[in-house]
Amino acid sequence: MSEQSLPTLPMWRVDHIEPSPEMLALCAGGPIHRVRFPSGHEGWWVTGYEEAKAVLSDAAFRPSGMPPAAFTPATVILGSPGWLGSHEGSEHARLRTIVAPAFSNRRVKLLSQQIEAIAAQLFETLAAQPQPADLRHHLSFPLPAMVISALMGVPYEDHAFFAELSDEVMTHQHESGPRSAALLAWEELRSYIRGKIRDKRQDPGDNLLTDLLTAVDQGKATEEEAVGLAAGMLVAGHETTVAQIEFGLLAMFRHPQQRERLGSDPSLVDKAVEEILRMYPPGAGWDGIMRYPRTDVTIAGVHIPAESKVLVGLPATSFDPRHFDDPEIFDIGRAEKPHLAFSHGPHYCIGEALARLELKVVFGSIFQRFPKLRLAVAPEELKLRKEIITGGFEEFPALW
């Protein structure tokens, strides 16, 4: 392929909600593609399922927050102390161990009834609104905000404040773009978290911030690492789930037969959630996860030089025809096969159990509570949050 003809990323960003025939053909045409990034750098885009797993589990690749000097991470959060994507090996394992109890089966189980109560409360509030109503305002945004606030031990009343900062932090910032606003927002968010962690000395509890304070007191983490861990969890634990609920609802509205199946048989909710995650993975507006090989590597017969940019296209792997039958079809009864929506390897999403639980609570009951729920506009009229890495929509108007 000539230099002039290299395809330029972003390619998978959801300008048309679902992958175009051209994208599906590209995925079927091979597992690794040489591309040009928006920064002008050349690199490789991995779309094959097995090839993506190989890259994500290979210690020869640096994680997204540890790029070579020639590259800058896409957002200021990558590369920050305490952000898990900015560490590897034993340091990554040490930090991950500190936050793991907050996402344990015990903690998630304790949150289960609380999440169900939150969803029921939000449904009742939604039902009282004049139609059409914005599901982003009344459901997809507040539910994850309430859940992450409870898990972390921060006041829900602060959600508008930290969400605004989170949006700025998660805005695409390419190598050539300005980063001052994002850096200021990140520092303000870290300052907020620093104060909340210190507050736990007088008001401890069964929450992540208390866990982090204990880790600092025991010498298992520095205060800056604890602040970075908490701020990262706040951003990742909120933003991605908001978008996932919205993309899941859109999937059901765009595939009414599947929505009817789920409405008449709520026992399908587990499979429905996995199909939503497969076809509309977290941050479905994002292209994937960056990795950087320390040495020359060869994957699927493709030679990749050391210090290159390698984008693991998690959304694209869901359409690898070698792994999924008829991958372009949204089918909530699909035979279960593992997807990579939560990544793979050492950096597998630590909050996946909580994210799955939130989605199961929403999709296991929303169509029973609102059997006639539907979009108030045509799908193409929804405005994507294209500048936010995690995706989602500006508004999500609905009728019921």
PDB file of all heavy atoms in Angstrom, residues 125-161:
ATOM      1  N   THR A 125     -39.441   8.495  38.326  1.00  0.00           N
ATOM      2  CA  THR A 125     -39.240   9.912  38.018  1.00  0.00           C
ATOM      3  C   THR A 125     -39.432  10.169  36.529  1.00  0.00           C
ATOM      4  O   THR A 125     -40.058  11.164  36.128  1.00  0.00           O
ATOM      5  CB  THR A 125     -37.824  10.353  38.442  1.00  0.00           C
ATOM      6  OG1 THR A 125     -37.662  10.129  39.841  1.00  0.00           O
ATOM      7  CG2 THR A 125     -37.598  11.824  38.139  1.00  0.00           C
ATOM      8  N   LEU A 126     -38.913   9.263  35.704  1.00  0.00           N
ATOM      9  CA  LEU A 126     -39.091   9.384  34.254  1.00  0.00           C
ATOM     10  C   LEU A 126     -40.558   9.339  33.879  1.00  0.00           C
ATOM     11  O   LEU A 126     -41.040  10.141  33.063  1.00  0.00           O
ATOM     12  CB  LEU A 126     -38.328   8.264  33.548  1.00  0.00           C
ATOM     13  CG  LEU A 126     -38.520   8.158  32.026  1.00  0.00           C
ATOM     14  CD1 LEU A 126     -37.992   9.408  31.331  1.00  0.00           C
ATOM     15  CD2 LEU A 126     -37.812   6.900  31.496  1.00  0.00           C
ATOM     16  N   ALA A 127     -41.302   8.413  34.477  1.00  0.00           N
ATOM     17  CA  ALA A 127     -42.721   8.255  34.146  1.00  0.00           C
ATOM     18  C   ALA A 127     -43.523   9.519  34.434  1.00  0.00           C
ATOM     19  O   ALA A 127     -44.565   9.761  33.800  1.00  0.00           O
ATOM     20  CB  ALA A 127     -43.305   7.078  34.913  1.00  0.00           C
ATOM     21  N   ALA A 128     -43.050  10.331  35.362  1.00  0.00           N
ATOM     22  CA  ALA A 128     -43.774  11.548  35.737  1.00  0.00           C
ATOM     23  C   ALA A 128     -43.426  12.742  34.847  1.00  0.00           C
ATOM     24  O   ALA A 128     -44.032  13.813  34.987  1.00  0.00           O
ATOM     25  CB  ALA A 128     -43.475  11.897  37.193  1.00  0.00           C
ATOM     26  N   GLN A 129     -42.476  12.567  33.925  1.00  0.00           N
ATOM     27  CA  GLN A 129     -42.039  13.673  33.090  1.00  0.00           C
ATOM     28  C   GLN A 129     -42.961  13.875  31.894  1.00  0.00           C
ATOM     29  O   GLN A 129     -43.560  12.927  31.394  1.00  0.00           O
ATOM     30  CB  GLN A 129     -40.616  13.413  32.564  1.00  0.00           C
ATOM     31  CG  GLN A 129     -39.574  13.209  33.634  1.00  0.00           C
ATOM     32  CD  GLN A 129     -39.494  14.362  34.603  1.00  0.00           C
ATOM     33  OE1 GLN A 129     -39.410  15.520  34.206  1.00  0.00           O
ATOM     34  NE2 GLN A 129     -39.539  14.026  35.894  1.00  0.00           N
ATOM     35  N   PRO A 130     -43.065  15.108  31.408  1.00  0.00           N
ATOM     36  CA  PRO A 130     -43.775  15.328  30.140  1.00  0.00           C
ATOM     37  C   PRO A 130     -42.998  14.686  29.003  1.00  0.00           C
ATOM     38  O   PRO A 130     -41.767  14.585  29.057  1.00  0.00           O
ATOM     39  CB  PRO A 130     -43.810  16.853  30.006  1.00  0.00           C
ATOM     40  CG  PRO A 130     -42.691  17.341  30.861  1.00  0.00           C
ATOM     41  CD  PRO A 130     -42.566  16.368  32.001  1.00  0.00           C
ATOM     42  N   GLN A 131     -43.713  14.236  27.998  1.00  0.00           N
ATOM     43  CA  GLN A 131     -43.065  13.558  26.871  1.00  0.00           C
ATOM     44  C   GLN A 131     -42.900  14.521  25.695  1.00  0.00           C
ATOM     45  O   GLN A 131     -43.754  15.376  25.484  1.00  0.00           O
ATOM     46  CB  GLN A 131     -43.893  12.345  26.447  1.00  0.00           C
ATOM     47  CG  GLN A 131     -44.091  11.321  27.552  1.00  0.00           C
ATOM     48  CD  GLN A 131     -44.781  10.060  27.054  1.00  0.00           C
ATOM     49  OE1 GLN A 131     -44.430   9.506  26.019  1.00  0.00           O
ATOM     50  NE2 GLN A 131     -45.777   9.622  27.795  1.00  0.00           N
ATOM     51  N   PRO A 132     -41.805  14.346  24.926  1.00  0.00           N
ATOM     52  CA  PRO A 132     -40.699  13.403  25.130  1.00  0.00           C
ATOM     53  C   PRO A 132     -39.798  13.853  26.274  1.00  0.00           C
ATOM     54  O   PRO A 132     -39.745  15.024  26.619  1.00  0.00           O
ATOM     55  CB  PRO A 132     -39.957  13.446  23.789  1.00  0.00           C
ATOM     56  CG  PRO A 132     -40.201  14.823  23.277  1.00  0.00           C
ATOM     57  CD  PRO A 132     -41.604  15.168  23.701  1.00  0.00           C
ATOM     58  N   ALA A 133     -39.077  12.876  26.841  1.00  0.00           N
ATOM     59  CA  ALA A 133     -38.138  13.159  27.919  1.00  0.00           C
ATOM     60  C   ALA A 133     -36.757  12.656  27.506  1.00  0.00           C
ATOM     61  O   ALA A 133     -36.630  11.714  26.708  1.00  0.00           O
ATOM     62  CB  ALA A 133     -38.585  12.475  29.208  1.00  0.00           C
ATOM     63  N   ASP A 134     -35.739  13.271  28.055  1.00  0.00           N
ATOM     64  CA  ASP A 134     -34.361  12.931  27.714  1.00  0.00           C
ATOM     65  C   ASP A 134     -33.873  11.798  28.610  1.00  0.00           C
ATOM     66  O   ASP A 134     -33.671  11.978  29.813  1.00  0.00           O
ATOM     67  CB  ASP A 134     -33.476  14.176  27.886  1.00  0.00           C
ATOM     68  CG  ASP A 134     -32.019  13.919  27.517  1.00  0.00           C
ATOM     69  OD1 ASP A 134     -31.729  12.833  26.977  1.00  0.00           O
ATOM     70  OD2 ASP A 134     -31.190  14.812  27.780  1.00  0.00           O
ATOM     71  N   LEU A 135     -33.681  10.607  28.022  1.00  0.00           N
ATOM     72  CA  LEU A 135     -33.221   9.462  28.807  1.00  0.00           C
ATOM     73  C   LEU A 135     -31.800   9.652  29.323  1.00  0.00           C
ATOM     74  O   LEU A 135     -31.423   9.050  30.335  1.00  0.00           O
ATOM     75  CB  LEU A 135     -33.298   8.178  27.972  1.00  0.00           C
ATOM     76  CG  LEU A 135     -34.694   7.683  27.593  1.00  0.00           C
ATOM     77  CD1 LEU A 135     -34.613   6.334  26.916  1.00  0.00           C
ATOM     78  CD2 LEU A 135     -35.598   7.617  28.815  1.00  0.00           C
ATOM     79  N   ARG A 136     -31.014  10.479  28.657  1.00  0.00           N
ATOM     80  CA  ARG A 136     -29.683  10.765  29.192  1.00  0.00           C
ATOM     81  C   ARG A 136     -29.801  11.496  30.524  1.00  0.00           C
ATOM     82  O   ARG A 136     -29.114  11.162  31.494  1.00  0.00           O
ATOM     83  CB  ARG A 136     -28.868  11.588  28.201  1.00  0.00           C
ATOM     84  CG  ARG A 136     -27.474  11.906  28.728  1.00  0.00           C
ATOM     85  CD  ARG A 136     -26.618  12.682  27.730  1.00  0.00           C
ATOM     86  NE  ARG A 136     -25.295  12.901  28.283  1.00  0.00           N
ATOM     87  CZ  ARG A 136     -24.287  12.037  28.233  1.00  0.00           C
ATOM     88  NH1 ARG A 136     -24.460  10.868  27.628  1.00  0.00           N
ATOM     89  NH2 ARG A 136     -23.115  12.309  28.780  1.00  0.00           N
ATOM     90  N   HIS A 137     -30.676  12.466  30.583  1.00  0.00           N
ATOM     91  CA  HIS A 137     -30.848  13.260  31.797  1.00  0.00           C
ATOM     92  C   HIS A 137     -31.516  12.461  32.913  1.00  0.00           C
ATOM     93  O   HIS A 137     -31.168  12.612  34.087  1.00  0.00           O
ATOM     94  CB  HIS A 137     -31.678  14.503  31.484  1.00  0.00           C
ATOM     95  CG  HIS A 137     -31.934  15.379  32.674  1.00  0.00           C
ATOM     96  ND1 HIS A 137     -30.972  16.211  33.197  1.00  0.00           N
ATOM     97  CD2 HIS A 137     -33.038  15.532  33.465  1.00  0.00           C
ATOM     98  CE1 HIS A 137     -31.475  16.859  34.244  1.00  0.00           C
ATOM     99  NE2 HIS A 137     -32.720  16.454  34.432  1.00  0.00           N
ATOM    100  N   HIS A 138     -32.450  11.585  32.550  1.00  0.00           N
ATOM    101  CA  HIS A 138     -33.266  10.908  33.565  1.00  0.00           C
ATOM    102  C   HIS A 138     -32.836   9.467  33.863  1.00  0.00           C
ATOM    103  O   HIS A 138     -33.336   8.877  34.820  1.00  0.00           O
ATOM    104  CB  HIS A 138     -34.736  10.915  33.138  1.00  0.00           C
ATOM    105  CG  HIS A 138     -35.347  12.280  33.139  1.00  0.00           C
ATOM    106  ND1 HIS A 138     -35.622  12.966  34.296  1.00  0.00           N
ATOM    107  CD2 HIS A 138     -35.710  13.095  32.112  1.00  0.00           C
ATOM    108  CE1 HIS A 138     -36.143  14.145  34.001  1.00  0.00           C
ATOM    109  NE2 HIS A 138     -36.208  14.253  32.690  1.00  0.00           N
ATOM    110  N   LEU A 139     -31.908   8.896  33.061  1.00  0.00           N
ATOM    111  CA  LEU A 139     -31.550   7.495  33.306  1.00  0.00           C
ATOM    112  C   LEU A 139     -30.067   7.210  33.079  1.00  0.00           C
ATOM    113  O   LEU A 139     -29.360   6.859  34.018  1.00  0.00           O
ATOM    114  CB  LEU A 139     -32.386   6.569  32.414  1.00  0.00           C
ATOM    115  CG  LEU A 139     -32.041   5.068  32.512  1.00  0.00           C
ATOM    116  CD1 LEU A 139     -32.319   4.539  33.908  1.00  0.00           C
ATOM    117  CD2 LEU A 139     -32.809   4.270  31.460  1.00  0.00           C
ATOM    118  N   SER A 140     -29.599   7.357  31.843  1.00  0.00           N
ATOM    119  CA  SER A 140     -28.253   6.857  31.519  1.00  0.00           C
ATOM    120  C   SER A 140     -27.157   7.617  32.247  1.00  0.00           C
ATOM    121  O   SER A 140     -26.121   7.042  32.585  1.00  0.00           O
ATOM    122  CB  SER A 140     -28.012   6.907  30.006  1.00  0.00           C
ATOM    123  OG  SER A 140     -28.019   8.236  29.522  1.00  0.00           O
ATOM    124  N   PHE A 141     -27.358   8.912  32.510  1.00  0.00           N
ATOM    125  CA  PHE A 141     -26.356   9.679  33.252  1.00  0.00           C
ATOM    126  C   PHE A 141     -26.485   9.488  34.767  1.00  0.00           C
ATOM    127  O   PHE A 141     -25.500   9.161  35.440  1.00  0.00           O
ATOM    128  CB  PHE A 141     -26.432  11.161  32.889  1.00  0.00           C
ATOM    129  CG  PHE A 141     -25.439  12.002  33.623  1.00  0.00           C
ATOM    130  CD1 PHE A 141     -24.161  12.170  33.127  1.00  0.00           C
ATOM    131  CD2 PHE A 141     -25.763  12.608  34.829  1.00  0.00           C
ATOM    132  CE1 PHE A 141     -23.218  12.935  33.808  1.00  0.00           C
ATOM    133  CE2 PHE A 141     -24.839  13.379  35.514  1.00  0.00           C
ATOM    134  CZ  PHE A 141     -23.562  13.542  35.000  1.00  0.00           C
ATOM    135  N   PRO A 142     -27.662   9.682  35.361  1.00  0.00           N
ATOM    136  CA  PRO A 142     -27.725   9.615  36.829  1.00  0.00           C
ATOM    137  C   PRO A 142     -27.478   8.236  37.418  1.00  0.00           C
ATOM    138  O   PRO A 142     -26.910   8.130  38.512  1.00  0.00           O
ATOM    139  CB  PRO A 142     -29.132  10.117  37.159  1.00  0.00           C
ATOM    140  CG  PRO A 142     -29.927   9.942  35.918  1.00  0.00           C
ATOM    141  CD  PRO A 142     -28.958  10.114  34.787  1.00  0.00           C
ATOM    142  N   LEU A 143     -27.889   7.162  36.738  1.00  0.00           N
ATOM    143  CA  LEU A 143     -27.721   5.838  37.352  1.00  0.00           C
ATOM    144  C   LEU A 143     -26.245   5.506  37.583  1.00  0.00           C
ATOM    145  O   LEU A 143     -25.850   5.199  38.722  1.00  0.00           O
ATOM    146  CB  LEU A 143     -28.411   4.759  36.511  1.00  0.00           C
ATOM    147  CG  LEU A 143     -28.414   3.360  37.160  1.00  0.00           C
ATOM    148  CD1 LEU A 143     -29.736   2.649  36.924  1.00  0.00           C
ATOM    149  CD2 LEU A 143     -27.267   2.500  36.627  1.00  0.00           C
ATOM    150  N   PRO A 144     -25.372   5.566  36.566  1.00  0.00           N
ATOM    151  CA  PRO A 144     -23.957   5.285  36.845  1.00  0.00           C
ATOM    152  C   PRO A 144     -23.330   6.289  37.808  1.00  0.00           C
ATOM    153  O   PRO A 144     -22.441   5.927  38.588  1.00  0.00           O
ATOM    154  CB  PRO A 144     -23.296   5.374  35.462  1.00  0.00           C
ATOM    155  CG  PRO A 144     -24.406   5.156  34.493  1.00  0.00           C
ATOM    156  CD  PRO A 144     -25.613   5.779  35.127  1.00  0.00           C
ATOM    157  N   ALA A 145     -23.794   7.555  37.763  1.00  0.00           N
ATOM    158  CA  ALA A 145     -23.245   8.556  38.689  1.00  0.00           C
ATOM    159  C   ALA A 145     -23.580   8.203  40.129  1.00  0.00           C
ATOM    160  O   ALA A 145     -22.726   8.322  41.027  1.00  0.00           O
ATOM    161  CB  ALA A 145     -23.784   9.946  38.341  1.00  0.00           C
ATOM    162  N   MET A 146     -24.818   7.762  40.375  1.00  0.00           N
ATOM    163  CA  MET A 146     -25.206   7.362  41.725  1.00  0.00           C
ATOM    164  C   MET A 146     -24.426   6.127  42.170  1.00  0.00           C
ATOM    165  O   MET A 146     -23.984   6.039  43.322  1.00  0.00           O
ATOM    166  CB  MET A 146     -26.707   7.063  41.767  1.00  0.00           C
ATOM    167  CG  MET A 146     -27.597   8.277  41.634  1.00  0.00           C
ATOM    168  SD  MET A 146     -29.361   7.799  41.718  1.00  0.00           S
ATOM    169  CE  MET A 146     -30.149   9.408  41.559  1.00  0.00           C
ATOM    170  N   VAL A 147     -24.238   5.185  41.249  1.00  0.00           N
ATOM    171  CA  VAL A 147     -23.559   3.933  41.596  1.00  0.00           C
ATOM    172  C   VAL A 147     -22.087   4.193  41.907  1.00  0.00           C
ATOM    173  O   VAL A 147     -21.561   3.716  42.923  1.00  0.00           O
ATOM    174  CB  VAL A 147     -23.713   2.908  40.461  1.00  0.00           C
ATOM    175  CG1 VAL A 147     -22.849   1.665  40.748  1.00  0.00           C
ATOM    176  CG2 VAL A 147     -25.178   2.496  40.304  1.00  0.00           C
ATOM    177  N   ILE A 148     -21.392   4.940  41.049  1.00  0.00           N
ATOM    178  CA  ILE A 148     -19.968   5.169  41.283  1.00  0.00           C
ATOM    179  C   ILE A 148     -19.765   6.039  42.523  1.00  0.00           C
ATOM    180  O   ILE A 148     -18.783   5.885  43.251  1.00  0.00           O
ATOM    181  CB  ILE A 148     -19.287   5.773  40.041  1.00  0.00           C
ATOM    182  CG1 ILE A 148     -17.766   5.586  40.109  1.00  0.00           C
ATOM    183  CG2 ILE A 148     -19.626   7.243  39.873  1.00  0.00           C
ATOM    184  CD1 ILE A 148     -17.295   4.167  40.032  1.00  0.00           C
ATOM    185  N   SER A 149     -20.705   6.947  42.781  1.00  0.00           N
ATOM    186  CA  SER A 149     -20.613   7.755  43.999  1.00  0.00           C
ATOM    187  C   SER A 149     -20.704   6.872  45.231  1.00  0.00           C
ATOM    188  O   SER A 149     -19.933   7.042  46.197  1.00  0.00           O
ATOM    189  CB  SER A 149     -21.722   8.815  44.026  1.00  0.00           C
ATOM    190  OG  SER A 149     -21.590   9.730  42.956  1.00  0.00           O
ATOM    191  N   ALA A 150     -21.643   5.921  45.224  1.00  0.00           N
ATOM    192  CA  ALA A 150     -21.794   5.007  46.357  1.00  0.00           C
ATOM    193  C   ALA A 150     -20.566   4.116  46.515  1.00  0.00           C
ATOM    194  O   ALA A 150     -20.075   3.897  47.633  1.00  0.00           O
ATOM    195  CB  ALA A 150     -23.049   4.157  46.169  1.00  0.00           C
ATOM    196  N   LEU A 151     -20.059   3.598  45.411  1.00  0.00           N
ATOM    197  CA  LEU A 151     -18.909   2.701  45.475  1.00  0.00           C
ATOM    198  C   LEU A 151     -17.673   3.424  46.002  1.00  0.00           C
ATOM    199  O   LEU A 151     -16.906   2.878  46.802  1.00  0.00           O
ATOM    200  CB  LEU A 151     -18.627   2.114  44.092  1.00  0.00           C
ATOM    201  CG  LEU A 151     -17.440   1.152  44.024  1.00  0.00           C
ATOM    202  CD1 LEU A 151     -17.808  -0.091  43.220  1.00  0.00           C
ATOM    203  CD2 LEU A 151     -16.224   1.824  43.381  1.00  0.00           C
ATOM    204  N   MET A 152     -17.492   4.676  45.568  1.00  0.00           N
ATOM    205  CA  MET A 152     -16.298   5.412  45.963  1.00  0.00           C
ATOM    206  C   MET A 152     -16.427   6.055  47.334  1.00  0.00           C
ATOM    207  O   MET A 152     -15.435   6.263  48.023  1.00  0.00           O
ATOM    208  CB  MET A 152     -15.977   6.479  44.924  1.00  0.00           C
ATOM    209  CG  MET A 152     -15.602   5.891  43.585  1.00  0.00           C
ATOM    210  SD  MET A 152     -14.934   7.126  42.471  1.00  0.00           S
ATOM    211  CE  MET A 152     -13.427   7.570  43.324  1.00  0.00           C
ATOM    212  N   GLY A 153     -17.666   6.415  47.707  1.00  0.00           N
ATOM    213  CA  GLY A 153     -17.859   7.107  48.969  1.00  0.00           C
ATOM    214  C   GLY A 153     -17.779   8.609  48.822  1.00  0.00           C
ATOM    215  O   GLY A 153     -17.272   9.308  49.711  1.00  0.00           O
ATOM    216  N   VAL A 154     -18.267   9.129  47.670  1.00  0.00           N
ATOM    217  CA  VAL A 154     -18.334  10.584  47.463  1.00  0.00           C
ATOM    218  C   VAL A 154     -19.808  10.974  47.362  1.00  0.00           C
ATOM    219  O   VAL A 154     -20.656  10.160  46.982  1.00  0.00           O
ATOM    220  CB  VAL A 154     -17.575  11.023  46.196  1.00  0.00           C
ATOM    221  CG1 VAL A 154     -16.116  10.635  46.293  1.00  0.00           C
ATOM    222  CG2 VAL A 154     -18.199  10.430  44.934  1.00  0.00           C
ATOM    223  N   PRO A 155     -20.165  12.219  47.705  1.00  0.00           N
ATOM    224  CA  PRO A 155     -21.577  12.634  47.656  1.00  0.00           C
ATOM    225  C   PRO A 155     -22.111  12.665  46.231  1.00  0.00           C
ATOM    226  O   PRO A 155     -21.463  13.219  45.341  1.00  0.00           O
ATOM    227  CB  PRO A 155     -21.550  14.045  48.257  1.00  0.00           C
ATOM    228  CG  PRO A 155     -20.238  14.179  48.953  1.00  0.00           C
ATOM    229  CD  PRO A 155     -19.282  13.291  48.226  1.00  0.00           C
ATOM    230  N   TYR A 156     -23.290  12.089  46.030  1.00  0.00           N
ATOM    231  CA  TYR A 156     -23.901  12.141  44.698  1.00  0.00           C
ATOM    232  C   TYR A 156     -24.153  13.586  44.282  1.00  0.00           C
ATOM    233  O   TYR A 156     -24.121  13.902  43.088  1.00  0.00           O
ATOM    234  CB  TYR A 156     -25.217  11.357  44.684  1.00  0.00           C
ATOM    235  CG  TYR A 156     -25.994  11.562  43.398  1.00  0.00           C
ATOM    236  CD1 TYR A 156     -25.508  11.045  42.194  1.00  0.00           C
ATOM    237  CD2 TYR A 156     -27.175  12.292  43.370  1.00  0.00           C
ATOM    238  CE1 TYR A 156     -26.187  11.242  41.004  1.00  0.00           C
ATOM    239  CE2 TYR A 156     -27.859  12.491  42.181  1.00  0.00           C
ATOM    240  CZ  TYR A 156     -27.368  11.965  41.011  1.00  0.00           C
ATOM    241  OH  TYR A 156     -28.038  12.172  39.830  1.00  0.00           O
ATOM    242  N   GLU A 157     -24.369  14.468  45.252  1.00  0.00           N
ATOM    243  CA  GLU A 157     -24.634  15.871  44.943  1.00  0.00           C
ATOM    244  C   GLU A 157     -23.480  16.503  44.173  1.00  0.00           C
ATOM    245  O   GLU A 157     -23.655  17.547  43.531  1.00  0.00           O
ATOM    246  CB  GLU A 157     -24.871  16.664  46.236  1.00  0.00           C
ATOM    247  CG  GLU A 157     -26.147  16.308  46.968  1.00  0.00           C
ATOM    248  CD  GLU A 157     -26.095  14.960  47.673  1.00  0.00           C
ATOM    249  OE1 GLU A 157     -24.958  14.501  47.975  1.00  0.00           O
ATOM    250  OE2 GLU A 157     -27.161  14.355  47.903  1.00  0.00           O
ATOM    251  N   ASP A 158     -22.315  15.889  44.210  1.00  0.00           N
ATOM    252  CA  ASP A 158     -21.149  16.421  43.494  1.00  0.00           C
ATOM    253  C   ASP A 158     -21.074  15.932  42.056  1.00  0.00           C
ATOM    254  O   ASP A 158     -20.128  16.264  41.333  1.00  0.00           O
ATOM    255  CB  ASP A 158     -19.862  16.012  44.214  1.00  0.00           C
ATOM    256  CG  ASP A 158     -19.718  16.653  45.584  1.00  0.00           C
ATOM    257  OD1 ASP A 158     -20.507  17.568  45.902  1.00  0.00           O
ATOM    258  OD2 ASP A 158     -18.821  16.229  46.341  1.00  0.00           O
ATOM    259  N   HIS A 159     -22.056  15.127  41.619  1.00  0.00           N
ATOM    260  CA  HIS A 159     -21.904  14.442  40.332  1.00  0.00           C
ATOM    261  C   HIS A 159     -21.785  15.401  39.150  1.00  0.00           C
ATOM    262  O   HIS A 159     -21.028  15.150  38.215  1.00  0.00           O
ATOM    263  CB  HIS A 159     -23.058  13.462  40.096  1.00  0.00           C
ATOM    264  CG  HIS A 159     -24.357  14.101  39.751  1.00  0.00           C
ATOM    265  ND1 HIS A 159     -25.206  14.621  40.702  1.00  0.00           N
ATOM    266  CD2 HIS A 159     -24.966  14.320  38.561  1.00  0.00           C
ATOM    267  CE1 HIS A 159     -26.276  15.123  40.113  1.00  0.00           C
ATOM    268  NE2 HIS A 159     -26.145  14.960  38.818  1.00  0.00           N
ATOM    269  N   ALA A 160     -22.530  16.510  39.163  1.00  0.00           N
ATOM    270  CA  ALA A 160     -22.459  17.450  38.040  1.00  0.00           C
ATOM    271  C   ALA A 160     -21.063  18.061  37.949  1.00  0.00           C
ATOM    272  O   ALA A 160     -20.524  18.266  36.852  1.00  0.00           O
ATOM    273  CB  ALA A 160     -23.511  18.542  38.201  1.00  0.00           C
ATOM    274  N   PHE A 161     -20.463  18.321  39.111  1.00  0.00           N
ATOM    275  CA  PHE A 161     -19.124  18.899  39.154  1.00  0.00           C
ATOM    276  C   PHE A 161     -18.106  17.926  38.572  1.00  0.00           C
ATOM    277  O   PHE A 161     -17.340  18.275  37.666  1.00  0.00           O
ATOM    278  CB  PHE A 161     -18.780  19.249  40.601  1.00  0.00           C
ATOM    279  CG  PHE A 161     -17.332  19.586  40.825  1.00  0.00           C
ATOM    280  CD1 PHE A 161     -16.826  20.806  40.422  1.00  0.00           C
ATOM    281  CD2 PHE A 161     -16.485  18.681  41.453  1.00  0.00           C
ATOM    282  CE1 PHE A 161     -15.485  21.121  40.632  1.00  0.00           C
ATOM    283  CE2 PHE A 161     -15.155  18.993  41.667  1.00  0.00           C
ATOM    284  CZ  PHE A 161     -14.656  20.213  41.255  1.00  0.00           C
TER     285      PHE A 161
END
